[in-house]
Amino acid sequence: MLPRIVQSTAFGLVPAIKRPIALAKHIRSFATVKSNTPRVQPTPSRIRSTPISYDRATFTIRDGPVFNGKSFGAKSNISGEAVFTTSLVGYPESLTDPSYRGQILVFTQPLIGNYGIPSPARDENGLLRYFESPNLQAAGVVVADVAEQYSHWTAVKSLGEWCAEEGVPAVSGVDTRAIVTYLREQGSSLARITIGEEYDADQDEAFVDPEQINLVSKVSTKAPFHVSSSTGDTHVAVIDCGVKENILRSLVGRGSSVTCFPYDYPIHKVAHHFDGVFISNGPGDPTHCQDTVYHLRKLMESSPVPIMGICLGHQLLALAAGARTIKLKYGNRAHNIPALDCTTGRCHITSQNHGYAVDASTLPSDWKEFFVNLNDSSNEGIVHKSRPIFGTQFHPEARGGPLDSSYLFDTYLDSVARYKQGQAVFQPNRDSRPSPLLVDLLAKERVGVVPTTGMENLLRMNEAGEQASAAARAA
């Protein structure tokens, strides 16, 4: 007896086997058949896009100073954590870095926007050439002076036009030196951007703390996706906590195909199909990712696979090993931070973006410190004493920034290649390369990631998601 199969349509639940012909024809009339149409991932709508606003703007630090300036982005009021970067260039890459989700980014460089915003062009591997993710990730932008006229051969729009399209408010004409001085003395603080309204002290109660939210769940892919490499035969599983495009490019360009999984995927259950596991960067407090930490701990207990982590991935690796993390006073966000390699005594100039760090004093005895920050002595890397597992707090892929430490990708992929060769001795028929069917079925870019919508909306979305999950469990 055939099982009763039910198919969902625009007209409700209809039996798939005994569907009325008339209804089938009615449904068919709405369809358009077009041959050779490539599969395209749906693009989340930017419901907060607005025309460029040139109204007065106010940047308010909670329990701190108020700065009046001029808007040059979206007409939208938001709150978030105010942080600063001393990077001189690379604002398109910084603003699209998922690690900045939920933060108001203050640039110390006096003039921002002079080379415009490039197009969302993709390279031969389908990765974005000039951005680190498809959308602007920061909740807000604060600069001393913005260039309304831009000049660069890759530019297609101004910084203000881009911010307005992405629904992100931006403020210019404020004293960023005073802002940064305050943040360095008081530490990273909650702040608001208000467009076209007088500051109201009562609104201080409306400040939203992004540390209350699992921001990684907002930037991680909701389903696996795959990027193939045509120059090698290794296959790495990437735990996507908000992975930057250039991290994927650094792996794929060195001959390793990558399959990216959601941040909370039980990676230890599928690691034997891969030659290595990589944990990406991402935003927020690492202690929110308890499922990821548990899965990494199980992975290290059950598999000898090589592991590398960057930024948040480095912190999650440390938590899985049994160490603790701490929140820094104002973090490290720059392209020129010196990091000492404890194994060689060499110093590298590194690109960084983080507000948390690993407490190296809590590392278990089978781990040791790999890199140390020469500015504030915070931890910049850990390495296992006997296994091919390590993490770095800084960004070896440096987009933008110096490439002093890019060799770490070669170090990791060398261990991946050795692991693959070793497995071939014990499993001669083992083939970790993805099957053509799998490559065809999986998406080619991150799935279901919603663009930044301000911390208030993120909080509401987070509460709605928790309520939906609770209702599903109850059902």
Side-chain angles (χ1 to χ4, degrees), residues 207-224:
F207 283 76
V208 178
D209 186 354
E211 292 188 14
Q212 300 175 10
I213 302 171
N214 182 358
L215 294 172
V216 172
S217 67
K218 309 303 178 186
V219 298
S220 175
T221 185
K222 302 304 180 287

Side-chain angles (χ1 to χ4, degrees), residues 428-450:
N429 297 323
R430 180 180 184 270
D431 187 359
S432 62
R433 292 175 300 177
S435 69
L437 178 60
L438 178 66
V439 171
D440 184 62
L441 290 176
L442 289 179
K444 303 302 180 288
E445 57 184 293
R446 64 199 80 201
V447 179
V449 178
V450 178

Side-chain angles (χ1 to χ4, degrees), residues 41-355:
Q41 292 296 322
T43 302
S45 60
R46 300 176 184 140
I47 57 175
R48 291 171 60 89
S49 297
T50 72
I52 299 181
S53 170
Y54 296 105
D55 295 338
R56 61 170 293 164
T58 304
F59 176 67
T60 307
I61 298 178
R62 186 176 190 180
D63 300 324
V66 178
F67 299 87
N68 295 312
K70 179 183 177 181
S71 167
F72 68 91
K75 188 175 179 62
S76 175
N77 299 336
I78 58 92
S79 70
E81 181 186 24
V83 300
F84 66 90
T85 176
T86 62
S87 305
L88 301 181
V89 295
Y91 57 85
E93 293 91 341
S94 293
L95 290 171
T96 54
D97 182 349
S99 296
Y100 280 117
R101 177 62 75 98
Q103 295 178 329
I104 300 174
L105 185 57
V106 181
F107 288 89
T108 62
Q109 168 72 355
L111 179 65
I112 296 293
N114 55 309
Y115 57 91
I117 300 299
S119 70
R122 294 183 179 268
D123 63 15
E124 63 277 7
N125 296 310
L127 299 170
L128 292 164
R129 289 184 182 275
Y130 309 116
F131 299 136
E132 291 307 307
S133 70
N135 296 102
L136 203 160
Q137 298 289 344
V141 181
V142 178
V143 303
D145 189 16
V146 63
E148 296 182 2
Q149 300 295 323
Y150 58 87
S151 177
H152 196 271
W153 67 272
T154 63
V156 297
K157 66 186 70 172
S158 70
L159 176 58
E161 291 171 332
W162 186 44
C163 288
E165 288 178 4
E166 295 284 331
V168 174
V171 181
S172 67
V174 297
D175 187 351
T176 53
R177 296 170 299 177
I179 295 173
V180 171
T181 299
Y182 181 88
L183 294 178
R184 286 181 67 91
E185 293 175 352
Q186 302 298 322
S188 298
S189 306
L190 298 183
R192 287 186 65 88
I193 292 178
T194 306
I195 307 299
E197 298 177 10
E198 293 287 345
Y199 167 68
D200 183 353
D202 292 337
Q203 287 188 336
D204 275 356
E205 299 302 321
F207 283 76
V208 178
D209 186 354
E211 292 188 14
Q212 300 175 10
I213 302 171
N214 182 358
L215 294 172
V216 172
S217 67
K218 309 303 178 186
V219 298
S220 175
T221 185
K222 302 304 180 287
F225 69 94
H226 180 82
V227 183
S228 294
S229 173
S230 59
T231 59
D233 61 353
T234 56
H235 190 191
V236 168
V238 174
I239 300 176
D240 175 21
C241 299
V243 64
K244 295 171 63 178
E245 293 282 294
N246 206 44
I247 287 179
L248 299 179
R249 185 179 292 106
S250 297
L251 294 170
V252 173
R254 288 172 169 80
S256 180
S257 297
V258 298
T259 298
C260 299
F261 293 89
Y263 79 101
D264 55 354
Y265 192 87
I267 196 67
H268 58 285
K269 295 183 179 180
V270 297
H272 59 283
H273 294 295
F274 297 89
D275 303 313
V277 172
F278 189 99
I279 319 155
S280 83
N281 63 293
D285 186 345
T287 60
H288 281 305
C289 303
Q290 290 301 317
D291 286 344
T292 311
V293 172
Y294 172 78
H295 296 149
L296 287 174
R297 186 178 296 120
K298 298 294 291 184
L299 172 66
M300 289 190 287
E301 292 173 353
S302 61
S303 172
V305 65
I307 305 173
M308 177 180 177
I310 286 180
C311 197
L312 179 71
H314 155 73
Q315 298 164 12
L316 295 175
L317 188 61
L319 291 173
R324 292 195 298 268
T325 56
I326 56 175
K327 183 171 175 60
L328 300 175
K329 184 175 182 180
Y330 50 81
N332 289 309
R333 299 174 181 86
H335 292 168
N336 61 345
I337 297 179
L340 177 68
D341 185 338
C342 298
T343 63
T344 65
R346 298 181 62 187
C347 176
H348 305 289
I349 302 302
T350 63
S351 175
Q352 299 193 19
N353 170 20
H354 63 100

